[in-house]
Amino acid sequence: MAQQRSASLMTGPGVDPVTLEIIRGGLRAVQSEMEVLIERTAMSPFIREKKDYASGLYAADGRMIAGKALPFASDLVTPIFEEYPPRSMKRGDIYWYNDCYLSKGGVTHTPDQVLIQPVFADDGLIGFSQTWAHFADIGGMRPGSLSADCTEIFQEGTMVPPVRLARDGVVNEDLLKIFVRNCRFPALVRGDFRAMLAAVALGEKRLEELANRFGGATLRAAFDELLGRTEAAVRSRLQALVPPGTYTFAESVDTDGQGSGPVTIRYKLEATEDGRFLLDQTASDDQTRGPINLVLNPKAPGVLVGVYLLGGSTEVSLNAGAESLFDEVKLREGSVLSPRFPAALGHRGVTMLRNLSGYLGLINTASGGKAAASHSPYVIWLIRGTSTSGERFLMSDGVACGYGARPFADGHDAVYLVAQENYPAEFVDISYPMRVRTYAINPDTGGPGRWRGGCGVIRELEVLAREALLSVRLDAIDHPPWGTAGGQAARAGRCIVNPGTPDERVLKPLSDGNVLKRGDIIRLETGGGGGWGHPFDREAERVLADVRGGFVSRESAERDYGVILSAEGRSIDQAATDKRRADRPAAKLFHRHGYVESLA
């Protein structure tokens, strides 16, 4: 009776607040359950341990209702509509793609596979269950399908346009056989596909249950209200930060790995008197030969900025309602944000994260420093080779970095992208011919400020394999993450082989083909996030705690924060600190290699 009453009362244009919150919570619970299923059943470490995957639920028109937006836009379902319009879909269908160009940036590099399953209520299509995951290897130039050596997307593995993988619940095994045959680790790929198929099937089942409980009309009305609520929230929050006017900013990627760089992304934001936001990124540099190009979906900027604007919100969920935050988004074909096929895209992650930093820079420019400081890009390294037993191995690892300080708190230390996690030392030691020697905070990498930027990490491995090749992706070295509102820039990372020995060599930050041999030591140091507010305004007690915790060196405490410690370093020399802080350095809105008012 209760279920019938809920459905019968809510068939009008709106949904009562209690029912809406129950549906909102139910959608998030379904999404979480799908993701737990993937984590517990996938085979490859990059999915199972690293957690480079996500699931989502979508309305019948392809708008995301519940899901994670990073590192993608929210527009993952509509790429299949051109080949398979919704009216042609049936129960038991499953659709698949990883084509970055045909999906218009739905996915942004080829290792990310997307599966989509339509969900039907008694009165027709109600929505979609979707999941994506990063596969360890899908062919291409080098194991892992990512390499700084790639100069076209054909070298980055097998491309799958939007295709129907299953009809009437029957999977096209022949299609999968072709794909798996082109992968270097077929058992992992088959296992990961099984996990993804199980997840979208679970999402279909749970969304059907919600439709049966509340009725298709109520569920559709709830979708519309949740989307509208998010759209209104992100727009009002941006309006509170950005007054009418025209604002510019610029952010740079150090190198494309093929000899070009810096590669600059340029922004112009116009906020009109009538509350509209117009974003123009057409002045960004041309596409590159190396694999840092990003196919930026025009819907992505609103969602990416929405992630920041809704940070910490419990009453509003991130969904496709944020797509319309910008009334107009302009991109230029042939630029690094809208490259022409077949430009290489594999390491688009550095551009994606520099682009996100640029959006924060725009908000800080407009608001006078009321947003977060910049962050280091997520670091990737891949070690491939042959173990002493002759077995081929691939260790793909994303390593944490520091994020920017906020106007009310320090930046996060050792952040793994989205909801990802580290490889525990024990896991690395038993799974690969490698030994973890050091795993620690990288001190002084967080930008000094009233609120300190987050620190990166140090991860040091010993090679136990007979031979191996190392690929590394670092950035924000020549252009470190900026500080704001008086905060200073973060410190950069680096990758060193055999540190402190006669054989020491510092590797190029975006490079592949680095030869390793048994006994070599690889030391990866990742960068931090920018600081917020003048460092001399940070309480001396906080600085002392940072020194004792290994986040800030004694030298930095004195030089950057003006805090002088006692001889034994256990307490503050208050008189010396007061004298040092009396000579307060002047500050400006941004800091990168020095204070400036603008980074346009």
Side-chain angles (χ1 to χ4, degrees):
M1 282 293 293
Q3 292 179 4
Q4 292 176 355
R5 182 173 179 270
S6 296
S8 63
L9 287 175
M10 297 303 126
T11 55
V15 181
D16 77 83
V18 174
T19 300
L20 187 65
E21 285 305 305
I22 293 172
I23 291 174
R24 185 169 78 102
L27 294 170
R28 297 305 299 268
V30 173
Q31 177 204 348
S32 297
E33 188 180 5
M34 294 168 67
E35 292 179 353
V36 168
L37 178 59
I38 295 174
E39 178 182 337
R40 292 183 175 178
T41 59
M43 296 293 291
S44 63
F46 215 77
I47 301 175
R48 190 184 72 247
E49 300 289 337
K50 183 62 59 180
K51 298 178 176 54
D52 195 357
Y53 63 82
S55 294
L57 299 170
Y58 289 71
D61 60 3
R63 291 180 296 172
M64 184 183 77
I65 305 300
K68 294 188 181 75
L70 290 175
F72 306 123
S74 58
D75 190 19
L76 289 171
V77 170
T78 62
I80 65 175
F81 288 170
E82 188 170 333
E83 291 292 328
Y84 305 96
R87 64 179 179 276
S88 70
M89 295 176 179
K90 299 180 179 179
R91 278 189 171 88
D93 283 359
I94 298 176
Y95 301 89
W96 168 33
Y97 69 85
N98 75 342
D99 193 309
C100 309
Y101 286 96
L102 292 183
S103 69
K104 299 178 177 62
V107 289
T108 49
H109 67 178
T110 52
D112 293 328
Q113 312 300 311
V114 178
L115 293 186
I116 296 163
Q117 185 161 358
V119 183
F120 293 86
D122 291 340
D123 57 350
L125 183 68
I126 192 68
F128 296 89
S129 167
Q130 169 272 324
T131 192
W132 67 261
H134 179 120
F135 279 28
D137 181 89
I138 60 164
M141 176 185 285
R142 293 200 188 270
S145 310
L146 299 176
S147 175
D149 293 341
C150 293
T151 57
E152 59 179 9
I153 198 169
F154 296 109
Q155 298 166 332
E156 296 174 340
T158 306
M159 286 182 286
V160 180
V163 295
R164 184 186 289 127
L165 180 61
R167 188 66 157 172
D168 297 323
V170 179
V171 173
N172 186 337
E173 295 292 344
D174 291 338
L175 189 58
L176 282 180
K177 285 179 183 178
I178 296 171
F179 184 77
V180 172
R181 178 61 176 164
N182 285 278
C183 303
R184 295 177 177 89
F185 301 92
L188 296 181
V189 171
R190 284 192 292 266
D192 293 342
F193 257 115
R194 286 195 295 268
M196 292 180 68
L197 288 166
V200 291
L202 176 63
E204 179 203 26
K205 178 181 178 183
R206 294 288 186 256
L207 196 55
E208 280 186 353
E209 290 171 353
L210 282 174
N212 291 335
R213 178 180 178 185
F214 295 102
T218 299
L219 207 55
R220 293 184 184 92
F223 290 171
D224 288 338
E225 291 205 20
L226 291 172
L227 289 162
R229 185 159 70 175
T230 297
E231 179 180 356
V234 295
R235 185 169 288 272
S236 66
R237 294 182 188 194
L238 189 60
Q239 287 172 343
L241 285 169
V242 179
T246 300
Y247 309 97
T248 58
F249 195 78
E251 187 60 277
S252 295
V253 178
D254 290 342
T255 176
D256 73 338
Q258 291 288 323
S260 296
V263 180
T264 301
I265 308 168
R266 296 180 178 87
Y267 309 79
K268 183 172 75 171
L269 174 63
E270 182 182 355
T272 66
E273 293 286 350
D274 59 354
R276 302 175 73 237
F277 295 103
L278 312 175
L279 178 65
D280 187 340
Q281 297 187 244
T282 56
S284 299
D285 284 354
D286 290 344
Q287 67 187 66
T288 65
R289 174 176 167 81
I292 65 163
N293 301 290
L294 169 65
V295 181
L296 183 65
N297 188 300
K299 298 177 183 178
V303 179
L304 295 173
V305 174
V307 171
Y308 175 74
L309 295 174
L310 295 179
S313 174
T314 57
E315 71 279 6
V316 180
S317 299
L318 180 70
N319 57 39
E323 291 176 350
S324 57
L325 174 61
F326 295 107
D327 298 274
E328 183 179 48
V329 175
K330 290 184 178 181
L331 303 171
R332 177 175 60 85
E333 185 180 3
S335 73
V336 69
L337 299 181
S338 185
R340 296 184 180 94
F341 181 82
L345 310 173
H347 283 308
R348 90 297 185 229
V350 292
T351 307
M352 181 170 58
L353 288 163
R354 293 293 80 202
N355 185 48
L356 184 58
S357 172
Y359 295 145
L360 289 174
L362 269 179
I363 296 174
N364 275 303
T365 299
S367 66
K370 294 182 180 178
S374 182
H375 49 269
S376 282
Y378 185 54
V379 177
I380 298 285
W381 60 349
L382 297 89
I383 306 172
R384 319 91 151 193
T386 306
S387 67
T388 53
S389 64
E391 184 178 356
R392 172 184 283 181
F393 74 92
L394 166 66
M395 191 191 82
S396 303
D397 192 8
V399 184
C401 57
Y403 265 58
R406 297 154 288 174
F408 55 88
D410 290 346
H412 292 294
D413 304 298
V415 174
Y416 282 80
L417 185 66
V418 195
Q420 294 181 25
E421 298 178 3
N422 68 176
Y423 283 161
E426 298 84 354
F427 171 78
V428 174
D429 288 351
I430 66 175
S431 301
Y432 304 105
M434 314 291 296
R435 179 181 294 122
V436 178
R437 290 166 46 101
T438 302
Y439 189 27
I441 287 291
N442 192 6
D444 289 341
T445 48
R450 163 65 183 88
W451 297 109
R452 175 180 57 79
C455 289
V457 303
I458 299 169
R459 199 156 168 91
E460 190 174 276
L461 305 180
E462 179 182 355
V463 178
L464 304 180
R466 291 186 302 195
E467 59 182 9
L469 285 181
L470 170 65
S471 171
V472 62
R473 188 193 82 188
L474 277 163
D475 193 68
I477 297 172
D478 298 330
H479 301 81
W482 40 264
T484 192
Q488 294 183 14
R491 277 45 167 180
R494 60 179 183 165
C495 188
I496 319 163
V497 177
N498 297 322
T501 72
D503 296 330
E504 176 180 305
R505 65 186 194 273
V506 178
L507 302 183
K508 292 181 179 180
L510 183 58
S511 62
D512 203 343
N514 299 294
V515 178
L516 304 172
K517 63 182 185 300
R518 183 178 177 87
D520 280 345
I521 306 299
I522 323 161
R523 181 182 177 91
L524 180 64
E525 302 172 358
T526 71
W532 192 97
H534 199 293
F536 278 26
D537 291 334
R538 187 169 179 82
E539 301 94 325
E541 292 76 13
R542 286 185 186 269
V543 178
L544 176 60
D546 282 341
V547 172
R548 299 183 71 175
F551 296 91
V552 173
S553 68
R554 181 171 181 156
E555 294 74 20
S556 176
E558 179 174 346
R559 179 186 66 245
D560 300 317
Y561 292 92
V563 175
I564 312 302
L565 304 183
S566 61
E568 72 280 4
R570 295 181 179 275
S571 61
I572 299 165
D573 185 332
Q574 193 61 56
T577 296
D578 291 344
K579 181 179 179 181
R580 173 74 176 88
R581 286 190 160 185
D583 183 19
R584 181 185 178 94
K588 296 182 180 180
L589 181 56
F590 293 105
H591 182 277
R592 174 186 276 165
H593 306 306
Y595 283 112
V596 294
E597 283 297 338
S598 172
L599 287 174

